Amino acid sequence: SQKIEQNSEALNIQEGKTATLTCNYTNYSPAYLQWYRQDPGRGPVFLLLIRENEKEKRKERLKVTFDTTLKQSLFHITASQPADSATYLCALGPSIQGAQKLVFGQGTRLTINP
Amino acid sequence: GAGVSQTPSNKVTEKGKYVELRCDPISGHTALYWYRQSLGQGPEFLIYFQGTGAADDSGLPNDRFFAVRPEGSVSTLKIQRTERGDSAVYLCASSLTPRGRGGDTQYFGPGTRLTVL
């Protein structure tokens, strides 16, 4: 069966350092992968999408890589700030054309310490 | 502009009761999704609407769960004979339009926290 794992439920990083979160999946061939941010009591907020034919995507201090051979995505936040503290979710897009549901990992709770 | 809204924000009910959860998507978004999120877990897909029709309801756990979107805008998730295991945050999301395998951004609402006593 399909399985998505985000390594470490919680990650503590010192302010200014780079935070790296990992998303691994098995038994799946996604057309794309997305990363979301979720704050307590709120719904997830979309951050970045990377497609199966892309290796890397950047947006301001965020960088995502996607290795379909390793079945892994890495999510980096450079120059981290306390305001980056949140839960980060990876989500896999459909492998079947026309199917639209996202399959989410369990999330990694990131804390940036001042 | 206004985002996805969900009502109520919190719902406490007793085991065996019937509940309705409402979602107002972003105006003009044709696709609407329902997810369920348990504590410490990521959202779990329930059902997806394209317009008025349910295009994929493979995530509904059993026949106690039903969702409608009669006019292609507002959607209601209905749960009959609620059980304690139904307690979770129910999230709604909408997107402009699905483009095959293109991956439209899904915009989530704040969720409805359902507690079944």
Side-chain angles (χ1 to χ4, degrees):
Chain A
S1 61
Q2 298 167 358
K3 191 175 180 183
I4 302 168
E5 278 193 2
Q6 293 187 242
N7 76 334
S8 71
E9 290 185 2
L11 190 62
N12 285 271
I13 299 291
Q14 197 65 31
E15 181 178 7
K17 302 289 186 184
T18 296
T20 299
L21 284 64
T22 304
C23 178
N24 294 288
Y25 59 93
T26 56
N27 298 324
Y28 204 80
S29 297
Y32 57 85
L33 185 147
Q34 298 183 354
W35 283 88
Y36 285 79
R37 169 183 173 141
Q38 187 172 27
D39 291 283
R42 301 286 191 93
V45 174
F46 171 79
L47 296 175
L48 281 168
L49 179 151
I50 186 165
R51 301 186 189 283
E52 59 181 338
N53 60 347
E54 297 175 318
K55 295 291 186 187
E56 182 179 297
K57 203 72 143 330
R58 291 176 186 260
K59 179 183 176 182
E60 298 173 352
R61 294 184 296 110
L62 308 181
K63 184 178 88 170
V64 172
T65 62
F66 193 12
D67 188 325
T68 55
T69 301
L70 290 179
K71 295 186 182 294
Q72 180 182 81
S73 175
L74 299 179
F75 176 79
H76 307 273
I77 305 175
T78 60
S80 59
Q81 305 166 0
D84 295 327
S85 298
T87 294
Y88 291 85
L89 298 157
C90 71
L92 301 184
S95 58
I96 301 172
Q97 187 160 358
Q100 293 300 319
K101 65 184 180 186
L102 292 175
V103 181
F104 282 87
Q106 81 275 22
T108 295
R109 190 173 67 253
L110 177 66
T111 302
I112 306 299
N113 301 306
Chain B
V4 177
S5 62
Q6 293 187 244
T7 54
S9 55
N10 280 283
K11 176 70 177 179
V12 179
T13 190
E14 293 179 344
K15 179 175 178 294
K17 299 290 188 182
Y18 168 83
V19 296
E20 289 190 353
L21 311 179
R22 176 188 167 109
C23 172
D24 280 88
I26 293 172
S27 178
H29 281 194
T30 60
L32 185 146
Y33 313 79
W34 283 99
Y35 294 84
R36 178 168 70 174
Q37 187 172 27
S38 300
L39 192 63
Q41 300 297 313
E44 176 190 19
F45 171 80
L46 295 176
I47 185 170
Y48 151 62
F49 287 90
Q50 175 55 29
T52 60
D56 183 350
D57 64 357
S58 61
L60 294 178
N62 51 60
D63 61 6
R64 296 187 297 105
F65 289 74
F66 189 71
V68 295
R69 195 186 185 199
E71 297 179 358
S73 178
V74 171
S75 176
T76 304
L77 179 66
K78 308 180 181 194
I79 310 174
Q80 298 177 321
R81 304 184 303 280
T82 51
E83 300 178 355
R84 293 194 180 87
D86 298 334
S87 298
V89 174
Y90 288 81
L91 294 164
C92 176
S94 69
S95 67
L96 189 58
T97 182
R99 295 191 299 259
R101 301 177 71 187
D104 272 324
T105 298
Q106 294 187 19
Y107 296 86
F108 283 81
T112 293
R113 180 175 298 279
L114 175 66
T115 303
V116 182
L117 301 177

